[in-house]
Amino acid sequence: MPQNTPASEHPIDPFSAELVEGLARVVAVEGNRVWLEPEQTTSCGGCAASGLCGAKGIGTAANRLEMRRFQLVNEAQLVVGERVVIGVDGRALLKASGTAYALPLVIMLIAGAVAQHIAQSDGVTMAAMVTGLALGLLATRGIARWLSTRGQLAPRFLRRADAEESCKIS
Amino acid sequence: MQEYILLMVGAALVNNVILARFLGLCSFMGVTTRIDTAIGMGLATTFVITVSSMGNWGVEQYLLEPYHLGYLRTVTFILIIAGAVQFTEMTVRKVSPPLFQMLGIYLPLITTNCAVLGVALILVEGKMTFIAATLFAFASSLGYSLVMVIFAGLRERLALAEVPRLFAGPPIGFIVASLLALAFLGFSGISTT
């Protein structure tokens, strides 16, 4: 099992925040916690089947999903195999995207622009941009830790999924 | 400086990846049901397009062109793009597991996004310097993200509108997309040369 940070245990009112919903399947129960695996989100509608097809080689969809398993407190007495709807605060999704992608990119471009202005050389600019990217990723690490300790990145259990509820990008 | 600004405006608005070059249409229709998810996908794609374009430029400049290996260009670029996606996935997972749980969803979708390969191939035709190529790729992906967010906003409004049953769902989506493309056609009047 991957070492993931446990989700926040603070309950959330699903009607008070703009939540982005997704489907997940219960894959293990450990005491009062459950391990959930997000369903493969494609437009083909084959999400429910991907958890059952048994194809679990390196690089396959099932293998990727295993890496994204996460824990939740089992308040709803979930059992293995159940499909549930989970939610993430929409603003948290924006903060996470900004932290993971925009910040390293901006630092990298600034480093490149400064290097180009000073050195006027493709090699130096390239080296500066790679360094900027590394620095940006370090900054991302710090901010992500801070957001995580505040419980802002944790998905929440919303409800059990209906049988006809299909996957959606969320 | 002015040259770079014009290059970026041209890449983002005049020759928009989605509405002028018709690349990345699967994610355009598939991941634009909500603004939040459109922004997430847009930023992830921006990151991958920019980083992979840097790699593609280096390989083109120092390997494919000097050794006349142009016939390997498409295969090589696809490899670099897949490598960039894998690098991004591994880095996000290493840097922050919670971020990976939240955002990892978009990454596999980017590998098969033709906009990423399309931008790389356009860069080769342009014969640009490294910084110009990177800024062009960055601006192209910003244009992609902009259109994704605008279209997601329109679709959120469409979900509340009364649409005739015959047009409900994807048909009205395509009609709105065509109107958006017509609106972006207005940018073609801007001269960026």
Side-chain angles (χ1 to χ4, degrees), chain A residues 4 19 64 67-68 88 96, chain B residues 34 89 93 99 101-102:
Chain A
N4 291 333
L19 290 174
R64 280 174 182 279
M67 293 191 294
R68 292 183 51 219
V88 176
Chain B
R34 285 189 57 139
E89 190 168 334
R93 196 168 77 229
L99 275 184
Q101 284 163 12
M102 198 180 257

Side-chain angles (χ1 to χ4, degrees), chain A residues 50-120:
Chain A
S50 70
L52 304 168
C53 68
K56 294 202 170 186
I58 293 168
T60 60
N63 185 265
R64 280 174 182 279
L65 293 177
E66 262 184 26
M67 293 191 294
R68 292 183 51 219
R69 283 182 183 177
F70 59 94
Q71 269 189 318
L72 281 183
V73 176
N74 192 5
E75 288 167 340
Q77 304 302 314
L78 299 170
V79 293
V80 174
E82 269 191 296
R83 292 171 76 221
V84 297
V85 179
I86 51 167
V88 176
D89 186 353
R91 280 162 298 181
L93 187 69
L94 294 184
K95 277 184 199 167
S97 304
T99 307
Y101 302 122
L103 184 68
L105 211 53
V106 167
I107 294 177
M108 182 184 84
L109 288 173
I110 290 172
V114 171
Q116 178 71 20
H117 184 70
I118 295 169
Q120 302 275 331

Side-chain angles (χ1 to χ4, degrees), chain B residues 2-24:
Chain B
Q2 193 188 2
E3 175 198 344
Y4 292 137
I5 292 171
L6 288 175
L7 179 79
M8 289 179 76
V9 171
L13 301 176
V14 182
N15 294 310
N16 186 272
V17 175
I18 296 177
L19 297 178
R21 297 187 191 274
F22 304 110
L23 296 169

Side-chain angles (χ1 to χ4, degrees), chain B residues 147-166:
Chain B
V147 170
M148 292 280 283
V149 173
I150 291 173
F151 192 54
L154 290 170
R155 284 184 82 176
E156 279 192 359
R157 282 176 171 256
L158 267 181
L160 302 172
E162 272 187 41
V163 179
R165 212 174 55 180
L166 196 63

Side-chain angles (χ1 to χ4, degrees), chain A residues 91-154:
Chain A
R91 280 162 298 181
L93 187 69
L94 294 184
K95 277 184 199 167
S97 304
T99 307
Y101 302 122
L103 184 68
L105 211 53
V106 167
I107 294 177
M108 182 184 84
L109 288 173
I110 290 172
V114 171
Q116 178 71 20
H117 184 70
I118 295 169
Q120 302 275 331
S121 152
D122 281 341
V124 174
T125 308
M126 212 183 285
M129 287 181 97
V130 172
T131 311
L133 182 64
L135 288 175
L137 290 171
L138 280 176
T140 295
R141 189 179 188 168
I143 294 174
R145 254 187 213 159
W146 179 70
L147 285 174
S148 194
T149 50
R150 294 179 65 186
Q152 291 194 8
L153 301 178

Side-chain angles (χ1 to χ4, degrees), chain A residues 25-43:
Chain A
R25 184 181 294 278
V26 179
V27 290
V29 180
E30 289 176 3
N32 68 336
R33 290 182 171 276
V34 284
W35 281 94
L36 294 159
E37 191 175 280
E39 287 198 338
Q40 177 67 359
T41 47
T42 64
S43 54

